[in-house]
Amino acid sequence: MYLILLGAPGAGKGTQAVTLTRELGLVQISSGDLFREAQKKGAELGLLAKSYMEKGALVPDEITIKMILERLAAPDCARGCILDGFPRTLEQARGLEQALAKQKKSIDKVLYIKVSTEELIKRLSGRWICRNCQTPYHVVNNPPKVAGKCDACGGELYQRADDTVETARKRLDVYFAQTAPLIDYYRKAGKLVEVNGDRGIEEVARESLAALSQ
Ligand code: ADP
Ligand code: ADP
Ligand code: ZN
């Protein structure tokens, strides 16, 4: 099964991926995590992506599509995967479709997590991420059991440089201009499953699993 998580920055894609990977037995592939990992390692991909990410702009399609297709070719994706943060443009959606079609595969479902804009800013500005396993937390909504430490792996938590209010607003503008058209694109393809992401984390998880099993 190939599942796409679609939604604005801060909608809860990474948070819901924690439950979905466990319940569906699929790996999560996060384009943002892959870019950050490449930066940490000092890899060329990381350098290419850095200036775009700092500004809150999208990394060019060509670079992003290549990175994801390479990751999808790994053995742990043979049975499918959960794509988090990709595709973010129509060009990326078409690139993915064509690559899957060559292997007689296709996207099964697109889970669209819908959240109001004011809530998104609050979520992004209070987000903390595990440096080691990338699990997201929130100072108020989803705090770790021990301050500054990841529940899952004990790793150190940090705030992303692009989670300031200013850059978050820029990322939301980019989302509405370049990514939101994908909602209609996948709805027309009959693949869109929409959930109300304004509610609590567990409620959204329950609703998502129920909607996906239909
Ligand atoms: P969020 O979880 O807040 O939505 P991500 O971690 O997915 O943020 O992305 C962080 C940044 O990485 C984006 O602002 C963008 O610069 C870059 N990025 C991630 N995924 C993509 C993509 N599919 N296409 C282009 N740029 C991307
Ligand atoms: P995305 O991957 O879509 O950018 P995240 O999963 O990283 O979003 O969530 C953004 C922030 O909002 C995190 O701090 C997370 O703990 C918090 N969060 C996620 N889902 C919810 C929810 N349903 N209610 C309240 N806070 C949430
Ligand atoms: Zn961790």
Side-chain angles (χ1 to χ4, degrees):
M1 174 172 181
Y2 288 87
L3 171 66
I4 291 171
L5 301 184
L6 185 61
K13 302 181 296 295
T15 299
Q16 293 305 325
V18 174
T19 314
L20 291 170
T21 50
R22 190 179 62 223
E23 296 295 323
L24 304 175
L26 293 170
V27 290
Q28 168 202 16
I29 298 180
S30 155
S31 43
D33 286 351
L34 290 174
F35 283 133
R36 282 184 290 274
E37 213 172 279
Q39 266 171 41
K40 201 160 85 182
K41 280 195 224 148
E44 195 196 340
L45 175 69
L47 287 174
L48 282 171
K50 192 169 188 276
S51 63
Y52 300 99
M53 293 175 79
E54 279 171 353
K55 280 185 295 200
L58 293 184
V59 179
D61 286 333
E62 199 190 338
I63 299 170
T64 307
I65 294 170
K66 182 166 176 276
M67 171 183 79
I68 290 289
L69 296 187
E70 277 171 19
R71 179 65 187 87
L72 278 176
D76 62 344
C77 297
R79 291 188 315 112
C81 67
I82 298 174
L83 285 162
D84 164 7
F86 180 95
R88 260 175 155 98
T89 64
L90 284 168
E91 186 69 25
Q92 291 179 13
R94 294 195 187 105
L96 173 65
E97 228 160 77
Q98 282 163 11
L100 289 177
K102 277 188 198 150
Q103 305 169 45
K104 307 235 180 306
K105 291 174 177 170
S106 64
I107 296 298
D108 294 282
K109 279 179 181 160
V110 178
L111 181 70
Y112 168 43
I113 308 175
K114 190 176 179 179
V115 173
S116 60
T117 308
E118 275 324 295
E119 172 69 13
L120 292 170
I121 296 287
K122 282 187 219 154
R123 289 191 187 177
L124 291 170
S125 53
R127 172 160 69 182
W128 288 75
I129 308 263
C130 173
R131 216 180 267 291
N132 181 45
C133 75
Q134 324 304 327
T135 300
Y137 294 86
H138 190 279
V139 257
V140 180
N141 305 342
N142 187 25
K145 292 197 178 84
V146 178
K149 271 199 193 312
C150 176
D151 295 350
C153 77
E156 179 205 4
L157 304 186
Y158 79 105
Q159 278 190 296
R160 275 167 47 182
D162 60 347
D163 274 346
T164 57
V165 173
E166 196 195 353
T167 311
R169 286 204 188 278
K170 173 77 203 303
R171 281 155 58 212
L172 291 180
D173 289 345
V174 168
Y175 168 78
F176 288 113
Q178 295 181 256
T179 308
L182 290 177
I183 300 166
D184 243 15
Y185 179 80
Y186 285 120
R187 187 179 283 131
K188 284 190 183 125
K191 298 189 172 177
L192 201 78
V193 175
E194 183 173 326
V195 292
N196 175 3
D198 274 323
R199 291 181 289 170
I201 293 172
E202 273 154 36
E203 241 178 310
V204 178
R206 230 176 295 126
E207 200 192 322
S208 300
L209 284 169
L212 288 172
S213 68
Q214 269 167 20

